């Protein structure tokens, strides 16, 4: 059996995953184009998808080392205020050095996790062996029917999900809603796909991408008003008062929001640690035009060199970039 640090058995792993996805509460930079040889997963081929994210961190060296050692990201650029990390030459994670920034207050809105999508189950298997061999603490493990996921936290408490999607043909849809659960993850079945006696995960696969972003919000209905109505994303799970899962083009979710620990949270304090922004690349001109018009109507849109950006009701910046 593969042993992962921080998990004292299957029951603890499942409980951790339930906490990560809230089932205990509810019952259930534009980068350079990727190399032509890299086949992108379905999540990155939809009319809109997650492109990159930025974290504001106090200890740049420590956080950068974590993402490089644990996920195998590489430093693509050093900027005036931090670093840009990525995979296969594609920028994914911007680290903004803010040593004097205030930390998020208990119960605040902000990041739940950034989810890194492995190109294949075999890649996830190699990463799992790597994580076990370097004793990476793990918060939870789960089979979500549509995907298999492992949850972590970086040195400053930013949530991370590392996952692989199951084949799209196996996802079960009914009336536009997809079946997603939280069951125990069969880790041994995954690592059986690789040689567990050696660490062959030397760097992130060239096709590693951010598959989705999960946010803490103060009120889910208001979050729907922004992410579903204004951004034009589709709900993919039944409506519930404490969470929503939204996507573009039939993916299970590109954006999730929950109020499990943040119900009633006010606007985030400017410049606090944690998620600074995340970006979506929009390849459908009509969708992008509609987003621009609706956000302009809300009075929240700002023009940028690469597109537009807007702040959600809690101050998290979303950058929209036409492909």
């Amino acid at each position: 059996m593969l042993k992962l640090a921080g998990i004292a058995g299957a029951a603890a792993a499942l409980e951790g995953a339930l906490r990560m996805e809230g089932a205990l509460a509810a019952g259930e930079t534009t980068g350079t184009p990727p190399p032509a040889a890299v086949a992108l997963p379905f999540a990155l081929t939809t009319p809109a998808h997650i492109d990159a994210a930025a974290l504001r961190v106090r200890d740049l060296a420590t956080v950068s080392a974590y993402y490089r050692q644990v996920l195998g990201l590489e430093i693509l650029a050093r900027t005036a205020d931090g670093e840009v990390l990525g995979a296969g030459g594609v920028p994914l994670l911007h680290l903004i050095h803010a040593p004097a920034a205030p930390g998020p207050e208990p119960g605040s809105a902000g990041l739940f996790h950034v989810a890194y999508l492995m190109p294949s189950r075999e890649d996830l298997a190699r990463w799992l062996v790597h994580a076990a061999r370097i004793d990476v603490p793990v918060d939870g493990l789960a089979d979500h029917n549509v995907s298999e996921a492992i949850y972590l936290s970086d040195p400053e408490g930013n949530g991370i999900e590392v996952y692989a999607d199951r084949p799209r043909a196996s996802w079960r849809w009914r009336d536009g809603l997809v079946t997603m659960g939280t069951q125990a993850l069969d880790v041994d079945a995954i690592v059986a796909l690789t040689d567990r006696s050696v660490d062959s995960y030397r760097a992130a696969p060239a096709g590693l991408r951010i598959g989705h972003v999960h946010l803490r919000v103060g009120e889910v209905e208001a979050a729907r008003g922004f992410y579903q109505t204004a951004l034009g994303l589709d709900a993919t799970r039944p409506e519930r008062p404490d969470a929503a899962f939204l996507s573009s083009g039939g993916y299970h979710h590109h954006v999730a929001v929950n109020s499990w620990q943040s119900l009633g949270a006010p606007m985030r304090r400017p410049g606090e640690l944690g998620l600074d922004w995340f970006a979506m690349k929009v390849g459908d001109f009509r969708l992008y035009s509609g987003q621009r018009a609706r956000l302009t109507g809300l009075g929240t849109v700002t023009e940028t060199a690469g597109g537009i950006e807007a702040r959600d009701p809690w101050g998290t910046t979303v950058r929209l970039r036409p492909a």
Side-chain angles (χ1 to χ4, degrees):
M1 177 181 290
L2 187 75
K3 294 183 179 179
L4 294 165
I7 293 295
L14 181 57
E15 183 178 351
L18 290 168
R19 287 196 303 271
M20 293 303 102
E21 290 297 347
L24 286 178
E28 353 165 61
T29 200
T30 300
T32 54
V38 174
L40 292 177
F42 172 62
L44 276 292
T45 65
T46 54
H49 60 262
I50 304 297
D51 190 35
L55 300 176
R56 191 178 290 107
V57 301
R58 280 201 182 120
D59 188 337
L60 177 63
T62 298
V63 176
S64 174
Y66 179 90
Y67 284 95
R68 287 183 282 118
Q69 180 185 28
V70 174
L71 288 182
L73 301 183
E74 59 180 333
I75 298 176
L76 299 181
R78 288 186 169 89
T79 64
D81 62 357
E83 294 178 353
V84 180
L85 307 180
V90 176
L92 300 176
L93 181 64
H94 297 243
L95 297 177
I96 301 168
H97 192 204
E105 296 179 341
S108 64
L111 180 67
F112 197 59
H113 58 243
V114 174
Y116 295 87
L117 175 58
M118 289 287 170
S120 70
R121 198 175 190 226
E122 289 77 12
D123 289 311
L124 184 64
R126 293 191 306 106
W127 178 81
L128 271 167
V129 171
H130 169 71
R133 292 179 70 88
I134 65 172
D135 293 324
V136 176
V138 170
D139 298 332
L141 315 166
D143 183 335
H144 291 306
N145 302 113
V146 295
S147 62
E148 296 172 296
I150 298 89
Y151 298 95
L152 321 164
S153 297
D154 76 14
E156 296 196 358
N158 297 296
I160 298 168
E161 178 181 339
V162 181
Y163 75 113
D165 279 332
R166 292 191 181 280
R168 184 184 171 200
S170 71
W171 302 354
R172 290 178 292 163
W173 292 85
R174 182 175 179 180
D175 298 327
L177 303 177
V178 69
T179 298
M180 288 179 62
T182 301
Q183 291 90 37
L185 182 66
D186 190 344
V187 174
D188 290 332
I190 298 173
V191 298
L193 299 172
T194 191
D195 183 353
R196 69 180 73 187
S197 68
V198 298
D199 185 352
S200 62
Y201 190 91
R202 302 301 181 192
L208 180 77
R209 296 293 184 270
I210 297 176
H212 66 268
V213 172
H214 196 148
L215 306 172
R216 301 191 313 267
V217 299
E219 200 257 315
V220 168
E221 191 59 33
R224 282 185 180 276
F226 181 84
Y227 289 101
Q228 184 173 352
T229 303
L231 265 60
L233 301 179
D234 301 314
T236 60
R237 302 285 302 280
E239 286 197 20
R240 46 192 269 191
D242 62 344
F245 296 79
L246 309 161
S247 84
S248 170
Y251 190 52
H252 50 76
H253 65 297
H254 288 105
V255 175
V257 298
N258 77 69
S259 60
W260 300 324
Q261 292 114 26
S262 55
L263 183 63
M267 180 76 71
R268 298 173 64 195
R269 292 179 294 173
E272 72 179 16
L273 296 174
L275 183 66
D276 186 46
W277 54 263
F278 71 92
M280 299 193 75
K281 185 175 289 186
V282 187
D284 184 310
F285 180 74
R286 288 177 296 177
L287 174 59
Y288 179 74
S289 297
Q291 290 171 328
R292 178 193 290 272
R294 291 188 294 271
L295 291 169
T296 299
L298 293 175
T300 63
V301 72
T302 300
E303 299 288 337
T304 67
I308 58 176
E309 66 179 34
R311 293 182 183 272
D312 78 4
W314 298 273
T316 296
T317 296
V318 182
R319 296 181 174 181
L320 301 173
R321 301 165 170 168

